[in-house]
Amino acid sequence: MTIPGHLRRDEIDEDRRTTTTDPTRPAERSMTRLLRPHLRSFAAVVILQVVGALAGLAPLLAVVELGRTLLSPGPVDHDHVWTVVIAGAAGLLVRLLFTAASSGIGHVLDSRVQLTFRRQLAASLGRVPIGWFSRRRTGELAKVVGEDVSAVHPFIAHAPGELVAAFVVPLVSLVYLFTVDWRLTLITLIPVVLATALVPLLMLPARTREQEAYDAAMGRIAGSVVEFVQGISVVKAFGGGERAHRTFLTATDDFVSVFSRWVRGMSVIAAGMQLALSPPFVLLVVLVGGTALITSGGLAPADLLPFLLLGLGLTAPVAALGHGFDDLQSAGRAVGRIKDVLAVRPLPEPAHPRPPRGHRVELRGVRFAYDTGHEVLRGIDLVLEPGTVTAVVGPSGSGKSTLARLLPRFFDPTHGSVLLGGVDLREIDSRELYRQVSFVFQDVRLLRASVADNIALAVPQAGRDDVVRVARLAGIHDRVLRLPRGYDTVLGEEAKLSGGEAQRISIARALLADAPVLVLDEATSFADPQTEQAVRRALATLGGDRTVVVIAHRLETVADADTVVVLEDGAIVERGRPADLLTRDGRFAAFWRSRQSAEIQTHGDVPRGDEPR
């Protein structure tokens, strides 16, 4: 099989070197690689915004100068007036041009950074252990790749400009106002000081916890929606609408409760900041302070004008920064979640890989636990000889699928080892391993690509004749011919396949890969009896010295096996030939009788060919 993600060789080699030398560095290197190529663009955005912000003061200063000129005693200097007007107009034009350029570059930069994030996430998700996905909800991962990446937009496209405006404009304005009158300047700063004093309240631990709870609640809603939509057909078929809605409604109620707490905690603070920075309050403070100074003879009436104009300029950037504070916090948390995904370490690649000698599979003292508290597999010792078919049976939750997923190294065992051709899987290069081990699982995912490309996923260079041959063996050829464009039909756009048909495509894919080790985990669970028989015949024709492991419940599949392994609570309780195990009247015999009874009730008779050898 091909390596998931279809990474370039240089990307794979670089990540392999990183993983084998320092497992803590991939995430840091990934984030650094993301931002380093864009530093010049960031600098251009900031510089353009600085020039635009400074030029934006020119119209205000022009109005101030005009007011002071026109209000001063004596004749008006018309040349000076026109000079001031032209300077103000030029400053406005420069502001428009430079801020537009800054905004345009910022949004282009945002698109590039988001694209880089998504490419990095795709590459990282293509390298992480495949079994890692089984422990994650689809909605949560979709939120990281979709919503969280989009949430960095304010930080990239808007934050540089807002931060520049919030610091450069007030700083220059303050310098100018201090030259006019330092006392009224301090009075004008009162609204800014009041609003700034409320900012730490936004970053209290309680507010942070509320924000985290808000994000978690949104993730639960996204996950429940995805799960509900994916299972809508089953819900309708069995009339479980009320039960199916319950999970979504519970997630929605939780979100409303969390959101209400967040709003109650933020509303008073936000209202206080808006009041302090509102133009009426700022003008009131300036007018009261200026009137007091004018009546006392400490300030000329014309000197009040710059404070009325620039005083609003002091608070407007701070107000804009306050409005964007939530977006900046959300962007920070989103980047944190993205880094968490990028920090998931791939299974380590061997520094000196060894090729397997044959395809004899052996499990030695294998123990495995998803979580530290519960072992799914407990001390598995098993040998799978070439040229044999081994059926693994057992009750639900006994560890059958987990055992199957260890063979293609979706996980590494917690203890013990899995060997292929006498070599531990951890010592085999991943590309070599996927050439040796092919797998078909019950949960099939097809690409949005043509039928031929889906079948030839593991062997992209395969010809159409080979694709058609394995499609015939898998019993899907006739169905493909009925599609709009046959093997060129794009799945997911021009046609959709049923669960059983998708499984047959997956089986054809595995047959085309022609790997010496084949793992089938309920690979024909959706197939009709005729299709399953066709698949069994196909596997028999490929036979030879192939090592086949089958997780199955159907008697026909179990009866054809050379060896049956019975799992219970993560341990092997019985093993041997099917006929021998039946004579022992143990766990396998009980399983056989229960399945036989179920098939009699379903089909009215025991299917032919289900007697074990």
Side-chain angles (χ1 to χ4, degrees):
M1 297 291 288
T2 55
I3 297 176
H6 308 286
L7 302 177
R8 301 194 311 270
R9 181 179 299 273
D10 56 345
E11 291 177 326
I12 296 171
D13 292 341
E14 179 179 355
D15 290 314
R16 178 176 300 145
R17 288 193 300 269
T18 302
T19 302
T20 53
T21 56
D22 186 354
T24 64
R25 292 181 59 189
E28 297 174 5
R29 289 176 58 86
S30 299
M31 296 302 296
T32 303
R33 282 202 305 268
L34 281 173
L35 299 178
R36 184 182 300 148
H38 308 293
L39 291 181
R40 291 185 178 179
S41 297
F42 270 113
V45 169
V46 172
I47 292 172
L48 289 171
Q49 188 64 42
V50 167
V51 176
L54 293 177
L57 290 174
L60 295 177
L61 295 177
V63 172
V64 170
E65 186 61 27
L66 283 176
R68 299 175 74 179
T69 300
L70 296 175
L71 292 175
S72 62
V76 176
D77 186 350
H78 295 283
D79 292 337
H80 178 68
V81 169
W82 281 110
T83 301
V84 171
V85 171
I86 294 173
L92 180 61
L93 179 61
V94 171
R95 171 181 169 79
L96 292 176
L97 292 176
F98 276 70
T99 54
S102 176
S103 177
I105 295 175
H107 281 79
V108 171
L109 175 63
D110 169 60
S111 299
R112 290 177 177 174
V113 170
Q114 288 195 38
L115 177 62
T116 307
F117 265 110
R118 289 195 169 96
R119 283 178 172 173
Q120 188 72 15
L121 283 169
S124 179
L125 291 174
R127 292 190 298 266
V128 301
I130 300 179
W132 179 82
F133 292 96
S134 65
R135 311 296 293 173
R136 300 296 182 276
R137 299 178 66 175
T138 304
E140 293 175 354
L141 284 178
K143 183 177 184 298
V144 172
V145 179
E147 295 181 20
D148 286 343
V149 172
S150 298
V152 305
H153 170 78
F155 178 76
I156 303 297
H158 300 290
E162 292 177 354
L163 288 173
V164 167
F167 289 100
V168 173
V169 173
L171 181 62
V172 175
S173 299
L174 280 175
V175 172
Y176 176 79
L177 292 178
F178 267 111
T179 62
V180 177
D181 188 276
W182 67 271
R183 296 164 299 177
L184 189 53
T185 301
L186 296 179
I187 294 174
T188 306
L189 285 175
I190 290 176
V192 177
V193 173
L194 291 176
T196 306
L198 295 176
V199 171
L201 299 179
L202 298 174
M203 296 181 287
L204 292 174
R207 301 288 84 79
T208 303
R209 289 193 296 269
E210 289 169 358
Q211 288 281 2
E212 293 173 350
Y214 172 86
D215 291 333
M218 284 295 295
R220 288 193 293 271
I221 288 180
S224 62
V225 168
V226 170
E227 292 170 0
F228 177 74
V229 171
Q230 289 179 342
I232 189 66
S233 59
V234 177
V235 170
K236 287 187 175 181
F238 291 94
E242 181 178 353
R243 293 189 301 274
H245 278 92
R246 192 171 300 141
T247 301
F248 174 71
L249 293 177
T250 300
T252 305
D253 291 340
D254 290 343
F255 172 76
V256 171
S257 176
V258 170
F259 184 73
S260 298
R261 289 197 303 270
W262 178 73
V263 169
R264 284 195 298 269
M266 296 287 293
S267 58
V268 176
I269 302 172
M273 293 184 66
Q274 290 180 359
L275 176 62
L277 298 173
S278 63
F281 182 75
V282 175
L283 291 176
L284 178 63
V285 171
V286 174
L287 286 173
V288 170
T291 302
L293 290 174
I294 291 172
T295 55
S296 65
L299 182 71
D303 289 340
L304 178 61
L305 185 60
F307 292 93
L308 293 175
L309 293 175
L310 297 182
L312 296 177
L314 291 178
T315 60
V318 179
L321 186 60
H323 290 312
F325 186 76
D326 291 340
D327 290 336
L328 292 177
Q329 279 194 322
S330 298
R333 293 192 301 274
V335 170
R337 288 188 292 271
I338 292 170
K339 290 179 68 175
D340 288 341
V341 174
L342 294 176
V344 178
R345 289 181 292 177
L347 291 176
E349 290 282 350
H352 304 287
R354 298 169 53 197
R357 298 183 298 275
H359 46 276
R360 181 176 188 261
V361 177
E362 185 176 359
L363 290 83
R364 296 179 181 175
V366 169
R367 293 179 175 270
F368 181 80
Y370 294 104
D371 304 310
T372 56
H374 176 68
E375 282 191 329
V376 181
L377 297 176
R378 301 181 294 110
I380 300 295
D381 290 298
L382 183 62
V383 176
L384 310 174
E385 296 289 352
T388 65
V389 176
T390 302
V392 182
V393 302
S396 177
S398 60
K400 304 185 299 297
S401 294
T402 301
L403 186 150
R405 281 161 168 75
L406 289 178
L407 302 187
R409 204 190 173 200
F410 286 7
F411 305 99
D412 278 337
T414 309
H415 299 286
S417 57
V418 181
L419 292 84
L420 173 63
V423 180
D424 194 308
L425 297 187
R426 288 167 287 206
E427 299 180 48
I428 301 175
D429 181 87
S430 59
R431 289 167 293 187
E432 176 64 23
L433 176 62
Y434 288 119
R435 282 194 289 265
Q436 299 291 325
V437 181
S438 183
F439 44 86
V440 181
F441 294 130
Q442 181 178 3
D443 187 17
V444 178
R445 290 289 183 266
L446 299 180
L447 303 180
R448 190 176 292 271
S450 68
V451 175
D453 288 341
N454 269 280
I455 293 176
L457 181 62
V459 190
Q461 69 276 12
R464 182 58 58 90
D465 291 341
D466 292 329
V467 170
V468 173
R469 175 180 59 82
V470 296
R472 289 182 183 277
L473 291 173
I476 192 64
H477 174 70
D478 293 339
R479 175 68 177 97
V480 172
L481 294 182
R482 294 196 298 271
L483 295 177
R485 294 194 297 126
Y487 284 90
D488 295 319
T489 302
V490 177
L491 299 179
E493 293 182 2
E494 300 175 290
K496 292 184 178 179
L497 300 181
S498 67
E501 292 165 347
Q503 280 190 327
R504 280 177 266 169
I505 293 289
S506 182
I507 291 169
R509 180 188 298 164
L511 295 176
L512 185 62
D514 197 26
V517 178
L518 180 60
V519 182
L520 305 172
D521 185 2
E522 296 287 357
T524 57
S525 58
F526 294 125
D528 53 78
Q530 292 77 15
T531 299
E532 184 177 17
Q533 290 178 7
V535 173
R536 290 163 56 201
R537 287 195 298 270
L539 295 176
T541 59
L542 294 175
D545 62 347
R546 187 185 308 274
T547 304
V548 181
V549 181
V550 182
I551 310 296
H553 294 293
R554 290 187 175 178
L555 296 182
E556 297 95 327
T557 304
V558 177
D560 286 341
D562 299 292
T563 304
V564 172
V565 174
V566 183
L567 282 183
E568 189 171 296
D569 193 23
I572 298 177
V573 294
E574 280 188 328
R575 76 179 80 191
R577 294 174 57 84
D580 297 338
L581 293 181
L582 278 180
T583 61
R584 299 180 190 175
D585 199 23
R587 305 290 177 83
F588 177 73
F591 160 82
W592 184 273
R593 289 191 294 268
S594 66
R595 295 303 305 168
Q596 194 174 54
S597 175
E599 295 195 8
I600 290 175
Q601 293 177 10
T602 302
H603 303 290
D605 193 7
V606 180
R608 295 183 59 187
D610 68 339
E611 291 299 325
R613 299 190 300 271

